[in-house]
Amino acid sequence: MFDIRLIRENPELVRQGLAAKNVSLDCAAWQKIDQERRDLLNAIENLRASQNAANEAISAALKNKEDPGAKITAMKALSNRISELEPKLKEINASLNDQLLRLPN
């Protein structure tokens, strides 16, 4: 199976290698899907980092006997957003892996 990094970093080399096997590859389309996957993964990781920070802020508020209500609401919003994005990432990963498996070495 091709490593997506090879397509990302050397699209012309991959295209030429596949052309020798009479297989065409639209590297631009692959790079677009890969970039979308990477952007989505980055967004999820940033949201998780914000969620962790919010969790620490809630813990600190509880220790200081403050009302963490607003922080809890913000953390729930982050959780909901992560829950929305994760299925999209899973779908893109599955599609990308399926397409990579179909390419000859």
Side-chain angles (χ1 to χ4, degrees), residues 32-48:
K32 180 181 174 189
I33 292 170
D34 180 49
Q35 187 61 47
E36 182 180 345
R37 182 189 69 80
R38 293 171 73 198
D39 290 344
L40 197 55
L41 184 60
N42 189 30
I44 290 172
E45 288 175 354
N46 287 336
L47 287 169
R48 284 187 180 144

Side-chain angles (χ1 to χ4, degrees), residues 41-98:
L41 184 60
N42 189 30
I44 290 172
E45 288 175 354
N46 287 336
L47 287 169
R48 284 187 180 144
S50 296
Q51 188 179 33
N52 289 339
N55 191 28
E56 290 175 12
I58 290 169
S59 294
L62 289 173
K63 284 181 182 178
N64 295 331
K65 299 184 181 180
E66 298 171 357
D67 181 28
K71 294 173 180 150
I72 290 173
T73 303
M75 191 166 131
K76 285 181 182 179
L78 290 170
S79 294
N80 289 338
R81 184 68 181 142
I82 291 170
S83 295
E84 291 172 5
L85 295 177
E86 282 180 333
K88 292 177 186 177
L89 179 62
K90 187 175 180 179
E91 181 181 319
I92 289 172
N93 279 334
S95 173
L96 194 59
N97 285 334
D98 183 53

